[in-house]
Amino acid sequence: MPAKIIRIWLLLILSLSAPLSAHPGHDNQKDTIMAEKKWTLVIHGGAGSMERGKLSPEKDAAARAGLTRALEAGSAVLAKGGTAMDAVSAAIMVMEDDENFNAGRGAVFTYKGVNELDASIMDGKTLGAGAVTGARYTKNPILLARAVMEESPHVMLSREGADEFSREQGLEQVNPDYFATPERWRQLEELKAKKLGWYDVDLKYGTVGAVAVDSDGNVAAGTSTGGLTGKRWGRIGDSPIIGAGNYADNRACAISATGAGEFFIRLGIAHEICARMRMLGEDAKTAADHVMKELKLLGGTGGVIVTAPDGTATFSFNTPGMYRGKATSAGEKMVAVYGDE
Ligand code: ASP
């Protein structure tokens, strides 16, 4: 074959294979790495009496939109290879800023008509944990809980001390009016007028939480709430209590709880579920369902979200509904409200 024709053949072959050979192996390798980067994010916006027909279409749509935004914020962190801690913080901040949930803006009122905020966060890689209770000025209490974990030698700070620490840390402060909404005020008035118990007010729930596994296999959990409508005497629920409303341990799982906090504290629910998984080898669903059944026997209502380092995740609740959502690296993305979804 003449040399000129051979050259033309060679050029043709090279040009056809150009997209693959321009940076040998690079794109393929990147695709493989991205495909191997598995992550899972699960969120909740509270468990309670949400039933079809009872919840207005507006409230239903607003809750789903808020959950979707929170999932998107957390997923964006994880998809870029970010940490479970950052994803949990990002998802919770969105729900704290959304007045449809009982955390941050839109938190329920105490009996005296103020908003006292509780939050906690835990890193399953280090077992580092931070929590605050009765905070009144920090725009995003989950960031304050995280600052307690990362910037103080303590695990839990309360009330004025937590507020003081928040200011010292330079976290965004707001006038307490920022948290107050007319709907939450109406619920407080209803509780007082009807002399209802703390667990009676319809839709009082709305605590938010998130659990995640990042692409390094680390888990984290966060929870944030205003607590119960009409709470008194400095009452503290399970949400800021590590082991009750929140727990994360790379050896087992990450959990965030919502519901009648006193019962979750008595059973140490979040730690109990992790302990069953770690020591009995139960999967997330078996462990969560078992412990939630025990909660029901005591008379407690609510729910939990759980994820394990292998990416398996579950919801377990004994209320008619739970605002919830899930997103994974495999492209799964769902939000739901009612028990039958
Ligand atoms: N668990 C929260 C508390 O008892 C309330 C809730 O989740 O709705 O403060």
Side-chain angles (χ1 to χ4, degrees), residues 47 102 118 204-207 225 227-228 235 237-239 257-262:
N102 171 19
D118 299 340
K204 65 193 176 302
Y205 297 127
T207 291
T225 187
L228 298 181
R235 179 262 185 194
D238 61 316
S239 308
T258 174
E262 281 69 7

Side-chain angles (χ1 to χ4, degrees), residues 177-341:
D177 288 350
Y178 164 81
F179 300 111
T181 63
E183 173 59 10
R184 294 302 187 190
W185 189 257
R186 187 198 65 69
Q187 289 176 359
L188 176 65
E189 296 205 310
E190 185 183 335
L191 175 124
K192 287 183 173 174
K194 295 187 184 164
K195 297 202 175 0
L196 297 172
W198 286 281
Y199 300 135
D200 288 341
V201 184
D202 239 8
L203 288 176
K204 65 193 176 302
Y205 297 127
T207 291
V208 307
V211 294
V213 192
D214 62 30
S215 49
D216 290 326
N218 295 315
V219 298
T223 308
S224 182
T225 187
L228 298 181
T229 300
K231 63 185 182 181
R232 303 172 95 166
W233 312 303
R235 179 262 185 194
I236 300 168
D238 61 316
S239 308
I241 297 182
I242 300 299
N246 202 69
Y247 203 73
D249 179 344
N250 269 7
R251 296 171 299 173
C253 67
I255 311 250
S256 173
T258 174
E262 281 69 7
F263 296 90
F264 285 76
I265 295 173
R266 288 165 60 196
L267 284 173
I269 288 266
H271 185 270
E272 177 85 356
I273 293 172
C274 273
R276 291 188 75 93
M277 291 175 69
R278 182 161 56 87
M279 296 193 275
L280 302 181
E282 290 182 352
D283 60 46
K285 177 133 191 64
T286 308
D289 286 352
H290 181 95
V291 178
M292 288 306 293
K293 241 183 231 151
E294 289 184 352
L295 182 101
K296 198 169 181 190
L297 288 175
L298 285 184
T301 55
V304 292
I305 53 174
V306 189
T307 187
D310 67 2
T312 51
T314 193
F315 308 96
S316 183
F317 52 99
N318 61 20
T319 44
M322 174 155 113
Y323 294 133
R324 60 200 188 277
K326 179 181 172 191
T328 70
S329 50
E332 190 184 339
K333 188 172 164 196
M334 59 78 75
V335 297
V337 174
Y338 310 108
D340 59 11
E341 286 182 82

